[in-house]
Amino acid sequence: MKKKNLMKDTGILARPGKTIRVADFDPAFKGSIDSKEEGIRLLSENVNELIELQDKLYADNRYAVLLIFQAMDAAGKDGTIKHVMSGLNPQGCEVYSFKTPSSTELDHDYIWRTYKCLPERGRFGIFNRSYYEEVLVVKVHPEYLLAQNLPGIRNTEAIDEKFWQTRYDQINNLEQHLVENGTIVLKFFLNVSKDEQKKRFLERIDDSSKNWKFSSADVKERQHWDEYMQAYSDMLTATSTEHAPWYVIPADRKWFMRYAVSNIIINRLKELKPEYPVLPEAEKNRLNEARELLMNE
Ligand code: ATP
Ligand code: MG
């Protein structure tokens, strides 16, 4: 069956240069996929295709792939990473989760801890949260910035729009540098609705096998929902670029979210046309010699 073209079909790309508002994207969108079963089947086809592409990417050793996931709590970052990347060769893939910065991390610039984790050529690097927290949670709670001891920032009054614009520019410059040096950068905002988040929190409370996932801090953070949506909208507008685009992924249906993410990765990787390296003639001759040696043992 022909694969559906989600990029056309869903409008989930945050179009570079446009003003992006999270409210304009439907978290429950499911494209033209008729059922959950079909979505799950399409995902498993994509997972197989991704395994093949990863193998070629690894052998080609020219590009690295950086996948960034940002979302509100319970949107499904962990599950999406688990399902989309399942089956990949672990040697060619690393996942990093970024939490509240440590005191050592606060003593460096905000990119430092993530820069050290960037993927090597031929590999996938997955960031579960990232330096984007620095224009999201930190923008919602500007007092967090004071712990960074930045020049000129001695109180929250000193933090103005210009400060955030500078951060967006720094991030765009960083990503441009990475892309120019062979890293593919794809960024996913898993867009869960406020109602669906509530449902998932209640499940975590009511279902004892999910209790471990529940954190009362997440419920407290939810009270800042509107400020987060504003911070996300500002961030998407400022940092969705041609070289490193943001995708706003409908997250109320987990199966659709996972399928959509896998589709975007595959479409991008296919554009690179990674191929197994073709050996030069001299090397091929050496292989033939080696074969003969083995056969004559
Ligand atoms: P899960 O809850 O699914 O295990 P998580 O990513 O929510 O995963 P937590 O340990 O619950 O992990 O939360 C990490 C917290 O760290 C989040 O609240 C996030 O906003 C915060 N955080 C991450 N980076 C920064 C940062 N640079 N500055 C301040 N807070 C940050
Ligand atoms: Mg959490």
Side-chain angles (χ1 to χ4, degrees):
M1 191 198 280
K2 206 172 155 337
K3 286 240 180 80
K4 294 185 166 127
N5 186 348
L6 261 173
M7 313 277 277
K8 251 194 207 153
D9 193 72
T10 63
I12 49 190
L13 170 71
R15 290 185 50 213
K18 301 272 179 236
T19 302
I20 309 294
R21 287 171 8 134
V22 171
D24 293 338
F25 294 81
D26 175 10
F29 189 78
K30 63 181 177 69
S32 50
I33 303 181
D34 306 320
S35 64
K36 180 174 171 176
E37 288 67 36
E38 195 195 352
I40 291 173
R41 187 181 58 72
L42 289 169
L43 171 64
S44 86
E45 281 179 21
N46 274 357
V47 166
N48 289 333
E49 200 169 348
L50 197 56
I51 291 172
E52 222 171 276
L53 281 163
Q54 184 205 16
D55 207 44
K56 288 184 177 165
L57 195 95
Y58 191 85
D60 190 30
N61 203 35
R62 187 164 307 274
Y63 294 101
V65 182
L66 174 63
L67 307 175
I68 295 182
F69 290 89
Q70 289 289 160
M72 296 298 282
D73 288 300
K77 286 183 278 102
D78 295 15
T80 300
I81 293 167
K82 180 169 132 187
H83 283 84
V84 175
M85 311 317 280
S86 65
L88 289 197
N89 177 358
Q91 291 222 72
C93 179
E94 254 166 314
V95 184
Y96 295 93
S97 297
F98 295 100
K99 315 264 181 190
T100 311
S102 67
S103 57
T104 307
E105 288 167 350
L106 285 171
D107 275 341
H108 290 268
D109 77 277
Y110 68 94
I111 308 274
W112 179 75
R113 66 172 178 164
T114 42
Y115 205 93
K116 295 190 298 182
C117 302
L118 288 169
E120 295 165 42
R121 242 173 261 292
R123 290 163 199 250
F124 280 76
I126 297 161
F127 284 2
N128 183 346
R129 304 186 187 274
S130 65
Y131 43 81
Y132 279 101
E133 291 290 325
E134 292 285 338
V135 291
L136 294 167
V137 65
V138 180
K139 197 173 184 192
V140 172
H141 300 281
E143 66 279 10
Y144 290 1
L145 258 184
L146 303 181
Q148 297 186 13
N149 248 354
L150 292 170
I153 308 290
R154 289 182 186 276
N155 49 49
T156 49
E157 284 76 54
I159 308 163
D160 53 10
E161 240 346 277
K162 193 164 156 271
F163 175 86
W164 299 113
Q165 192 52 54
T166 303
R167 281 212 158 169
Y168 299 137
D169 292 344
Q170 289 164 348
I171 290 174
N172 287 340
N173 290 338
L174 163 76
E175 290 175 351
Q176 171 107 37
H177 166 81
L178 294 177
V179 170
E180 285 170 359
N181 286 280
T183 298
I184 306 299
V185 184
L186 296 175
K187 306 180 293 197
F188 302 100
F189 164 48
L190 307 183
N191 182 27
V192 74
S193 67
K194 198 175 180 193
D195 283 349
E196 180 64 23
Q197 189 199 50
K198 180 174 174 178
K199 219 176 101 202
R200 293 185 190 170
F201 281 166
L202 288 171
E203 270 168 28
R204 290 178 177 187
I205 293 169
D206 295 336
D207 177 346
S208 60
S209 73
K210 291 186 178 169
N211 283 172
W212 64 275
K213 289 190 192 176
F214 182 76
S215 146
S216 45
D218 293 354
V219 174
K220 221 170 139 224
E221 216 45 28
R222 175 181 162 83
Q223 291 167 1
H224 297 283
W225 187 273
D226 292 346
E227 293 149 77
Y228 270 104
M229 291 307 112
Q230 186 61 52
Y232 271 105
S233 299
D234 294 347
M235 177 275 275
L236 293 164
T237 302
T239 63
S240 193
T241 55
E242 295 289 346
H243 56 271
W246 273 107
Y247 295 91
V248 181
I249 306 291
D252 279 8
R253 291 182 171 88
K254 289 181 182 170
W255 59 268
F256 183 79
M257 162 170 59
R258 294 166 188 170
Y259 171 64
V261 168
S262 71
N263 228 33
I264 289 160
I265 300 170
I266 285 179
N267 284 341
R268 183 67 187 95
L269 292 189
K270 275 193 190 153
E271 284 169 13
L272 298 179
K273 299 194 175 50
E275 285 304 336
Y276 293 112
V278 180
L279 290 183
E281 248 353 89
E283 283 292 327
K284 278 190 195 155
N285 290 340
R286 228 167 296 166
L287 287 188
N288 286 333
E289 280 165 28
R291 183 193 292 111
E292 244 164 71
L293 263 177
L294 287 168
M295 299 305 281
N296 291 332
E297 264 178 13

